[in-house]
Amino acid sequence: MATRGIKQLHKLTLSYCEHGGSSRYVREFISSGRIVDYARANPTVQVAVEVQNGRHPNVNAEYLTGWDKQVCVKNEPINRISNVIQMLNDSSGRKMNRIDGPVQTQTPSVQGIWTPFLDIRDKKFGMEIVQDGVN
């Protein structure tokens, strides 16, 4: 996700085990070249692949905001790994906050409060185009 035109994902690290069965699909994902295709499609993101023997595979994402996210991809198929990487790519890195109550503002809308009875589809508004010096 981009904030003010700047992509927030800074670094993506895919870690896996060389021997473990839970890393089987991650090894297939890497050997199929999909990680290289992702790196070519997203040149602003640093892509790293780490071998961590004896550990379950995961995808780590570091963002420009300083936040990071980690998603476990243990025994996940290749298309799920692609979806996780795309989800992390589209994310801003911010933590999600639950809003329990209604949202209220101190500055009401300039447009006014909307009501379902406000029907202006068939109304005509008088408009006049005025150019400099000509009426």
Side-chain angles (χ1 to χ4, degrees):
M1 180 176 183
T3 302
R4 296 183 180 154
I6 299 172
K7 190 172 201 163
Q8 295 299 299
L9 182 61
H10 174 65
K11 184 177 181 181
L12 187 79
T13 306
L14 187 63
S15 60
Y16 69 100
C17 176
E18 292 178 316
H19 323 272
S22 63
S23 296
R24 172 180 36 158
Y25 294 115
V26 175
R27 290 191 301 266
E28 286 181 24
F29 183 80
I30 294 168
S31 64
S32 69
R34 289 190 183 193
I35 193 73
V36 176
D37 295 338
Y38 172 79
R40 284 190 184 132
N42 299 287
T44 60
V45 179
Q46 295 177 7
V47 178
V49 177
E50 288 182 349
V51 176
Q52 291 183 343
N53 289 328
R55 306 188 123 218
H56 289 300
N58 57 37
V59 182
N60 295 322
E62 297 175 16
Y63 296 92
L64 292 175
T65 57
W67 293 99
D68 60 341
K69 289 185 179 180
Q70 181 178 12
V71 179
C72 180
V73 288
K74 175 177 76 169
N75 294 323
E76 298 288 349
I78 291 178
N79 59 353
R80 169 74 175 132
I81 296 169
S82 294
N83 290 342
V84 166
I85 290 174
Q86 190 61 43
M87 182 264 307
L88 291 171
N89 188 37
D90 294 342
S91 177
S92 67
R94 295 189 192 126
K95 302 294 182 189
M96 301 299 290
N97 293 331
R98 183 181 184 97
I99 300 174
D100 291 333
V103 178
Q104 295 182 355
T105 179
Q106 299 297 324
T107 56
S109 172
V110 176
Q111 300 171 354
I113 299 173
W114 181 85
T115 66
F117 303 109
L118 182 64
D119 187 16
I120 58 173
R121 278 183 280 171
D122 300 328
K123 300 216 174 173
K124 301 288 183 195
F125 295 98
M127 295 180 63
E128 181 179 326
I129 298 175
V130 179
Q131 295 179 354
D132 292 335
V134 179
N135 286 348

